[in-house]
Amino acid sequence: MSDIEKLVDTAESGTGVSRRAILQFFGIVGASTALGSAVTACAGPQSSGTTSGGGGSGTGGKLSIVLNRNLVSLDNKLNQYDAAVTVQRAVREALTRIGSDLKPQLVLAEKFELTSPTVWTVKLRGDIQYSDKSPVTVEDVETALKLYFQVKAGYVASQFPEQPTFAKVDDKTFTLTTKKPVVTLDSLMSNILITPANANKAEELREGIGSGPFTVASADSGTGTYRLVRNDNYWGEKALLDEVNVSYQEEEGARVIAITSGQADVIDTITPESATALKKKNDIELVQEPGTRLIHLFYNFRKPAGHPLTNPKVREALSYAVDHESLISSLMNGLVSSAEGVVPKTLSGFAKTGGYTFDPAKAKSMLAAEGVSNLKLTFIWEEAEFAGAARVMEALVGMLGDVGVKVTLKEIPKGGDINTWRRGEAGDWDVLGNGYGNQTGLAITNLQGQYAGTAAKEKTRDTYHGFVFPDVTTLLDQASSEPDAGKRDALLKQAQDKIWALWPAMWAWTPDNVLAKRKRVTTLELSPTNSYELSKVKVSG
């Protein structure tokens, strides 16, 4: 029986487990695994007379969700890790959303149409309102869009090729105009959450109302604890649950104990060892779907001239030191797939550009040919950025050591200053272990956000870690403006080939979306974007 299975059995027996025991467990694990066009589907919520019933009828009741990261805000201007989307969009909605087929669907918009090559015409639904019964207005949308572009290092804004110009037509209609065609604007706007204009700010909001099926009854962003209740003034189909309690727990062992003991109904971000243990529990189910999240060991492209990492041949050489197959089988239990390009293959517009190969002899030979010896690298990552992060990083120390590279590890605490490190303002580093979520289903979203850097953006440190290559940016700008899907994909293929040749990452992979739920939780449909519609979840007891 594994250590985590012992913890699971201890939890089920009702025996208390201390924080010290959990930390000791992780110490054991760490030591033992340090081995080597128009939106065509009008699928927005419809009016309904659904009412709350007893738990046995599948409506009403309470749900407890334990996340692995602190949900510091129900806003997404700066950060949007995948699991947070479920909670954020239960409170605040956008004009569109991305469905399980990774295509845009209408929500607050009644119409979202490309009426000329550079103009989208949008009409709001006539029945939408906030939880206080005030109407959602054109001015609210205008303010929201403007403020997303005003925040420093905005995550969502970086995915837009340019900021659309907003023009009001009437009380329900407006246009979004761009200098060049942006044919994916209906998908991109799914990430712009709408809140009343007079309460919105150019920052992550810690309070305020939304138009979603739940309202916030209480919140403590410091501890990541929220209590959501059904919005009985919701303009669409009412939520089936009465209440949702959201919290977070850093240690995975504690999250596993929470679900096996019945204190939690749903937990996310599960390591392979936990998944194996939980599969054996009769009252727990694992939900697993191919994901759209890219995780990579990304190089720092802000290194000074002459530094070894400015040489693409050195970056390529280091990739041959990574035994990714062993990492996948030993530490990830086959729940991830090694990247075959620079974005996840689940995305529309993905182009296969190559694969990662483990060949330490080639790594040594290439480094020697480039005159590189005694190379020292610093790896940084944020705690819980991906499942089993610390163990993966520890294994990489040995792998790089085998080719003569010394690695120093620096873990940034969750809720710490990872953004200042990423911007190069907190200190120097060489490789970042980082996840990049995708909420549009489109490869162009990742490509634009990560690889379309410009000199102007780099002046404000708003590029993706200094990645600025004008020929790549030009191709991506052309692709984002191309209305013909075939021609657009051809441009994206050219861009992805050029990016791959630059070796931006030492290794990259895409994890499956995996969460665990108690069997009393039904109708939870996990999408490829690692989120689900909270309003449609039922509990049976």
Side-chain angles (χ1 to χ4, degrees), residues 52 59-65 213-215 217-218 226-231 239-246 265 520 534 537-539:
S52 173
T59 59
K62 299 179 181 181
L63 184 78
S64 173
I65 301 172
F214 289 91
T215 63
S218 62
Y226 299 83
R227 185 170 73 89
L228 309 182
V229 296
R230 182 173 48 236
N231 176 12
L240 301 176
L241 294 165
D242 294 323
E243 182 177 316
V244 178
N245 291 287
V246 182
D265 296 305
R520 80 184 198 101
L534 198 53
V537 175
K538 300 178 183 178
V539 293

Side-chain angles (χ1 to χ4, degrees), residues 254-270:
R255 295 198 303 279
V256 169
I257 290 172
I259 194 168
T260 54
S261 64
Q263 298 174 45
D265 296 305
V266 180
I267 63 172
D268 73 318
T269 313
I270 303 166

Side-chain angles (χ1 to χ4, degrees), residues 148-194:
Y148 271 81
F149 281 85
Q150 288 184 2
V151 295
K152 187 178 181 181
Y155 169 80
V156 170
S158 70
Q159 299 176 347
F160 285 70
E162 61 177 278
Q163 181 178 351
T165 299
F166 190 102
K168 181 177 179 179
V169 176
D170 57 39
D171 286 344
K172 289 293 181 182
T173 312
F174 58 91
T175 59
L176 297 171
T177 303
T178 52
K179 296 176 182 177
K180 298 179 180 179
V182 179
V183 295
T184 58
L185 194 58
D186 51 352
S187 293
L188 290 170
M189 289 298 291
S190 69
N191 284 329
I192 304 293
L193 304 183
I194 310 303

Side-chain angles (χ1 to χ4, degrees), residues 327-380:
L327 290 172
I328 291 172
S329 61
S330 300
L331 298 185
M332 301 172 177
N333 203 26
L335 295 179
V336 314
S337 57
S338 203
E340 298 177 0
V342 296
V343 298
K345 59 185 176 183
T346 48
L347 301 179
S348 176
F350 160 81
K352 184 175 181 179
T353 55
Y356 290 94
T357 303
F358 176 53
D359 190 339
K362 186 173 183 179
K364 291 179 181 179
S365 174
M366 288 185 67
L367 289 173
E370 299 303 318
V372 176
S373 61
N374 300 317
L375 183 60
K376 297 179 181 179
L377 301 176
T378 298
F379 283 39
I380 67 169

Side-chain angles (χ1 to χ4, degrees), residues 104-150:
Q105 301 173 341
L106 297 170
V107 182
L108 297 179
E110 177 182 293
K111 180 178 74 171
F112 201 123
E113 296 179 349
L114 185 62
T115 48
S116 80
T118 59
V119 179
W120 290 80
T121 300
V122 184
K123 183 177 181 180
L124 297 180
R125 292 175 62 111
D127 56 349
I128 52 176
Q129 63 180 20
Y130 294 109
S131 57
D132 65 355
K133 295 188 178 181
S134 62
V136 179
T137 68
V138 168
E139 289 75 17
D140 295 341
V141 180
E142 180 180 19
T143 298
L145 181 61
K146 177 179 66 176
L147 295 180
Y148 271 81
F149 281 85
Q150 288 184 2

